[in-house]
Amino acid sequence: MRTELYKNMVYEWADKEAPHSVERLLWLNQTSPVVWTIKIYGNNAQPVRRTREFLQNALDTGAARVLPKDPFAYLIRPEGDIKEDHRKHRDEAWNLIAPLVESGDTRIFQFYGRNSPVTALVKSKRCSLSKAYRELRRYFQRGQIKNANLPLYDNCGWRDRLDNSKADQKKQGRPSKVSTATGESRGTNITLDVLQAFRNGIKLFYDKRLSAPLSRAFQQTKERFFNCGYHQNKNGIWVPSLPPANELPTYRQFVYWYNKERKPRQSQVARRGTTRFNLSGRAKLGNSTQMAFGPGSIFQVDATIGDVYLLSALNRRWIIGRPVIYFIIDLFSRLIVGLSIALEGPSWLGAMLAVENSVMDKVAFCAEYGISIEYSDWPTHHLPEALMADRGEFEGYNADQLVNAFGTRVYNTSPYRADLKGVVEQHIDISNEKTIHWLPGRVRKRERGDRDYRLDAALTLWEFRKIMVLAALHHNHHQYIEGYPLDADMIADEVQPFPINLWRWGLEHRSGCLRKQDIETVRLNLLPEAEASVTQNGIFFSNLHYTSELALKEQWFERAGESGTSKIPVAHDPRTRSRIYLRLDNGKRLETCHLVPGDKAFLDRDWYETLDEFELRAQRKELNQTRHQRSMADYHASTQQVIDSAAEKNAMSEFNMSNQARITGIRANRKQERDLEREANAWKFGPEPKTSSESTQLLVPGYVPPPQPTDKLRNLRERMLKK
């Protein structure tokens, strides 16, 4: 595409270094092959004659490019914005060069040329030639407008006055009271060296030190950079030697230059850190409502610990502590679409209950607490297009299930950036201020001797839930949203910024973001998922074993005995350990798994109780390590004593047999040892029989009875067994 040339066009050469690469097209004519240009920066620049074809080809081939904005466009401004002295200077310059630029004579582009009209003008105006060319150059460089000759006072100021050579000159600026009274010059001028010392002092003693005041940084700066040396005090410590105060910069000068050079963003980040700056120091130019197109575009969710103590419904004398409150609020309308009040969390269980409540029919929900409403009073039973949380419960698989099952995106804010979901954060504050602060048992600041506010608790969990439901209804219908950014369509329809009004208007004009799901499907997909193991003893999960009809039918446990354990995903409700669930048919149905008979002791316990029990078992096992280790030491010592005694006896015995003979006689030795054991350990009932003198006399010393038939049978059986 061919680039169009036009007067005052500003372009930049690609092969030249800035700022000498930027030029302005001063003159062109459709019938002339010549154009005039000039560099817009430089005090000695002069118009340059070029061929039109050369410039056109450079722009078409990319050797030069047109700048989208004129660097001197700021000179086009109303007369009222220009100071009177500046206008006077401009008018004088314009009156000098106006005859030249209005004549249309192209010779004015040829500076210092022969027969130049500038020379003739100088003679008639009686001014210097350099002044005429200076004003004409400004006119050409800055856009060929009258305001091009405004004075360059913006380039004047302190930067030109900072000079180290002025360090010994008379103090500039307003004199101090002492100087006025005495007539003597006191203080010092700010030079480049002094300013650099200020900068170094700020960097060393003020930045990155949140608690350090600026006055302390100034004192430390003087001690470090303005001392005349060091001296020892009476304790032998080296101390900086400072010159007299009238020879040092003042704190006022230090503060002036700090504020003049200070960049708020960099300063706050250095002193307070990026996290605190992003939370409270950054520029707040946007509005979170702009992120939501209509109702259901974004729900914001957050949890808080309720500042009130509750009683047990089983026994109103029991204090059960503070509840956990979850709010889900529609970003577009500020309507409360879901809430959960429980003793769980903050955890996925509490968040799960809040999401379940957002899709629940609010008429039936309020009826549970004896509150009668119409559907139009709380018309919310939907899932959003996106859910915004704070990197807590909505990270990991549980949140991924919302994305995969329902297509609801989950956004987690950055750490320590509660302001990114300020709508729900603000409602938590409003809820505390308008509702919880006035309840019995509320948390409050205690003075010494005050009654413990926990003893004032009077509400059960059910009663507190009813109060919070009433508060949510009041908010939805009667909470005026201060500062709500009404757009043009809302203003035209005269929409009052109450949550229910904004919700209804959004459903009529900005619908398409809400999603309906039956509550059973939502509950099914909100259950947290974990990994279990299929073993020969059952489906092992969280230290317990489960079984199901499907597992028995397909013989999972027998297969595990043959092939080993395998992993399987299961869903579980943390409120009970009695059962877990298998998601089948891509999550369309559940297979319920029950505890095996051996684990029935955990039938009525929840997940946390089960974890506590097994944790206690592990702790008891660890605590018994001392007993186990001591008993093992005793056992090993006793065993070793027996071994040592036996070894000692063996060493004292004489073996007159060969090794082969010892091995060959094992069976006969075993028989003799067994007979001895039988005789020694045989059970004998009744008293031992008395031996008569007659029978004693019949005994013949050395008599051996003949072999009995039973001995022959025993020997025969042993030979057969040996063969």
Side-chain angles (χ1 to χ4, degrees):
M1 183 176 179
R2 197 169 181 82
T3 304
E4 181 183 0
L5 303 181
Y6 57 91
K7 184 179 179 181
N8 280 332
M9 179 180 70
V10 181
Y11 58 92
E12 181 180 18
W13 293 100
D15 59 346
K16 296 182 181 180
E17 295 183 2
H20 306 292
S21 59
V22 184
E23 297 182 358
R24 184 185 300 278
L25 180 57
L26 299 177
W27 182 90
L28 77 163
N29 192 300
Q30 297 298 330
T31 61
S32 174
V34 176
V35 296
W36 286 92
T37 67
I38 190 174
K39 295 180 180 178
I40 68 172
Y41 300 111
N43 297 331
N44 299 317
Q46 296 184 22
V48 177
R49 181 178 178 177
R50 301 185 188 278
T51 63
R52 184 189 188 100
E53 183 180 1
F54 172 77
L55 181 59
Q56 186 73 63
N57 290 338
L59 293 172
D60 292 342
T61 59
R65 70 180 185 91
V66 179
L67 296 185
K69 185 176 181 180
D70 193 328
F72 293 102
Y74 70 91
L75 294 173
I76 303 174
R77 51 190 175 185
E79 287 290 296
D81 293 345
I82 304 174
K83 295 181 180 180
E84 183 178 354
D85 294 342
H86 294 192
R87 290 200 304 267
K88 183 179 179 180
H89 185 282
R90 176 202 63 186
D91 293 341
E92 290 179 356
W94 174 250
N95 292 334
L96 174 63
I97 65 173
L100 297 174
V101 299
E102 291 178 350
S103 66
D105 191 347
T106 57
R107 290 181 301 168
I108 63 174
F109 299 124
Q110 301 177 12
F111 281 19
Y112 306 105
R114 293 182 179 181
N115 300 323
S116 172
V118 179
T119 305
L121 179 70
V122 167
K123 293 179 180 179
S124 63
K125 294 289 186 178
R126 295 182 179 181
C127 69
S128 65
L129 189 63
S130 60
K131 179 179 180 181
Y133 278 122
R134 181 173 65 249
E135 300 298 344
L136 194 59
R137 181 183 294 110
R138 288 182 181 177
Y139 176 78
F140 289 153
Q141 290 179 322
R142 302 167 77 182
Q144 302 187 94
I145 58 176
K146 187 176 181 180
N147 283 352
N149 293 98
L150 284 170
L152 301 178
Y153 292 159
D154 293 340
N155 294 336
C156 303
W158 63 271
R159 292 179 181 83
D160 295 331
R161 296 198 302 269
L162 281 182
D163 189 354
N164 291 331
S165 63
K166 298 182 179 181
D168 298 330
Q169 294 182 5
K170 181 180 179 180
K171 172 69 170 63
Q172 298 177 353
R174 187 183 68 179
S176 65
K177 295 180 179 180
V178 177
S179 297
T180 303
T182 61
E184 298 178 358
S185 177
R186 298 176 61 87
T188 180
N189 292 320
I190 303 300
T191 63
L192 290 174
D193 292 340
V194 173
L195 181 57
Q196 187 60 43
F198 284 176
R199 292 168 180 165
N200 294 337
I202 291 294
K203 185 176 181 179
L204 289 174
F205 308 121
Y206 191 68
D207 287 349
K208 299 183 181 180
R209 298 192 180 192
L210 182 59
S211 60
L214 193 59
S215 58
R216 178 181 176 84
F218 174 60
Q219 177 64 28
Q220 291 179 303
T221 300
K222 291 189 294 183
E223 295 172 2
R224 173 68 66 86
F225 300 105
F226 295 94
N227 67 76
C228 302
Y230 294 85
H231 66 276
Q232 283 185 316
N233 62 10
K234 60 182 180 180
N235 296 320
I237 300 174
W238 289 97
V239 180
S241 300
L242 295 178
N246 63 332
E247 298 178 10
L248 289 172
T250 64
Y251 179 64
R252 187 167 175 267
Q253 289 174 315
F254 185 76
V255 172
Y256 170 82
W257 287 106
Y258 167 73
N259 291 329
K260 193 171 188 67
E261 294 200 327
R262 175 177 179 266
K263 296 180 179 179
R265 179 184 304 170
Q266 289 81 347
S267 177
Q268 290 191 49
V269 169
R271 283 180 59 78
R272 307 174 62 193
T274 304
T275 300
R276 292 191 180 183
F277 171 78
N278 290 335
L279 183 62
S280 59
R282 78 189 196 287
K284 299 180 180 180
L285 306 178
N287 189 291
S288 59
T289 308
Q290 300 170 354
M291 301 169 59
F293 172 75
S297 291
I298 299 178
F299 285 176
Q300 290 187 357
V301 57
D302 198 16
T304 183
I305 307 297
D307 290 337
V308 62
Y309 280 82
L310 303 179
L311 300 179
S312 171
L314 300 175
N315 188 335
R316 300 187 75 97
R317 295 183 179 180
W318 297 346
I319 302 174
I320 60 174
R322 298 160 61 182
V324 179
I325 308 173
Y326 273 87
F327 288 108
I328 301 181
I329 296 183
D330 176 56
L331 179 58
F332 176 82
S333 64
R334 309 294 202 270
L335 194 80
I336 299 176
V337 297
L339 76 159
S340 164
I341 303 166
L343 301 178
E344 305 284 351
S347 63
W348 173 251
L349 179 56
M352 179 181 74
L353 296 176
V355 175
E356 178 210 25
N357 184 260
S358 68
V359 299
M360 183 182 294
D361 178 19
K362 298 304 187 296
V363 176
F365 172 65
C366 292
E368 296 178 7
Y369 300 95
I371 303 173
S372 178
I373 64 170
E374 301 292 336
Y375 173 78
S376 58
D377 294 332
W378 203 346
T380 61
H381 52 90
H382 311 86
L383 282 173
E385 193 174 56
L387 196 65
M388 181 175 288
D390 58 358
R391 299 176 60 87
E393 303 83 350
F394 287 87
E395 279 194 323
Y397 164 79
N398 297 324
D400 293 343
Q401 186 65 16
L402 284 174
V403 178
N404 299 332
F406 306 114
T408 298
R409 300 189 304 274
V410 176
Y411 299 126
N412 283 295
T413 60
S414 304
Y416 309 106
R417 292 299 306 276
D419 57 303
L420 295 180
K421 50 181 182 60
V423 171
V424 67
E425 294 281 352
Q426 185 181 29
H427 179 74
I428 289 175
D429 295 338
I430 293 174
S431 177
N432 275 321
E433 179 181 350
K434 292 189 173 182
T435 304
I436 299 178
H437 179 73
W438 307 102
L439 298 179
R442 68 185 182 277
V443 176
R444 63 179 186 274
K445 184 177 180 180
R446 291 178 57 190
E447 300 292 342
R448 185 174 182 180
D450 288 352
R451 173 182 169 84
D452 192 336
Y453 50 75
R454 293 174 291 187
L455 300 175
D456 296 332
L459 301 173
T460 64
L461 187 61
W462 186 90
E463 293 165 343
F464 180 69
R465 283 174 178 160
K466 181 173 182 179
I467 291 175
M468 296 306 295
V469 170
L470 293 172
L473 289 169
H474 180 271
H475 168 87
N476 289 344
H477 286 266
H478 305 291
Q479 181 65 48
Y480 186 87
I481 309 300
E482 294 284 351
Y484 185 88
L486 297 170
D487 59 22
D489 295 334
M490 294 179 180
I491 295 174
D493 292 341
E494 299 181 354
V495 178
Q496 295 296 316
F498 293 96
I500 193 66
N501 294 350
L502 295 170
W503 177 273
R504 291 169 180 168
W505 186 90
L507 290 181
E508 184 177 353
H509 298 89
R510 303 284 179 84
S511 61
C513 301
L514 294 172
R515 304 177 181 184
K516 293 184 179 180
Q517 289 287 346
D518 65 278
I519 194 166
E520 290 298 327
T521 303
V522 173
R523 287 172 176 170
L524 171 63
N525 288 277
L526 284 177
L527 289 177
E529 187 168 291
E531 193 175 67
S533 300
V534 179
T535 69
Q536 193 172 5
N537 298 324
I539 301 174
F540 183 72
F541 173 68
S542 187
N543 297 306
L544 300 177
H545 293 86
Y546 297 84
T547 184
S548 71
E549 295 181 3
L550 179 66
L552 295 174
K553 180 180 179 181
E554 297 184 356
Q555 301 182 10
W556 288 6
F557 311 130
E558 290 81 356
R559 296 176 189 274
E562 292 179 348
S563 306
T565 62
S566 59
K567 301 295 183 180
I568 185 173
V570 297
H572 65 99
D573 190 335
R575 291 169 291 186
T576 177
R577 289 291 85 191
S578 300
R579 60 191 67 188
I580 58 176
Y581 308 94
L582 304 176
R583 286 198 177 96
L584 305 176
D585 298 338
N586 296 323
K588 295 180 181 179
R589 66 185 182 91
L590 288 183
E591 171 75 11
T592 304
C593 302
H594 301 277
L595 284 170
V596 298
D599 288 335
K600 289 295 184 180
F602 298 92
L603 186 62
D604 297 324
R605 296 193 180 187
D606 65 12
W607 189 23
Y608 302 104
E609 288 179 328
T610 305
L611 293 179
D612 291 344
E613 172 60 27
F614 284 100
E615 178 63 24
L616 288 174
R617 291 184 182 182
Q619 292 177 9
R620 285 194 291 266
K621 181 179 179 181
E622 184 176 350
L623 292 174
N624 289 329
Q625 285 295 319
T626 301
R627 174 182 176 183
H628 173 72
Q629 293 172 1
R630 290 178 177 176
S631 64
M632 288 298 295
D634 187 6
Y635 164 73
H636 289 156
S638 301
T639 304
Q640 191 63 39
Q641 192 273 335
V642 175
I643 295 173
D644 293 343
S645 177
E648 183 178 355
K649 293 177 180 179
N650 292 338
M652 296 174 62
S653 300
E654 295 183 1
F655 296 101
N656 296 324
M657 301 172 62
S658 66
N659 293 339
Q660 182 63 34
R662 293 182 64 193
I663 296 174
T664 305
I666 289 178
R667 184 177 299 276
N669 298 337
R670 178 185 179 87
K671 176 179 177 301
Q672 293 182 12
E673 188 74 17
R674 184 181 61 203
D675 293 342
L676 180 63
E677 282 289 310
R678 287 178 176 177
E679 180 64 23
N681 297 325
W683 293 344
K684 300 175 182 180
F685 302 97
E688 291 289 338
K690 296 182 179 179
T691 304
S692 62
S693 59
E694 299 168 335
S695 60
T696 303
Q697 295 176 357
L698 292 176
L699 291 177
V700 180
Y703 171 77
V704 178
Q708 299 296 322
T710 57
D711 293 337
K712 295 180 179 180
L713 288 175
R714 185 180 300 111
N715 294 333
L716 178 63
R717 183 169 64 249
E718 290 180 355
R719 286 197 300 270
M720 292 177 64
L721 289 174
K722 183 176 181 180
K723 293 180 180 180

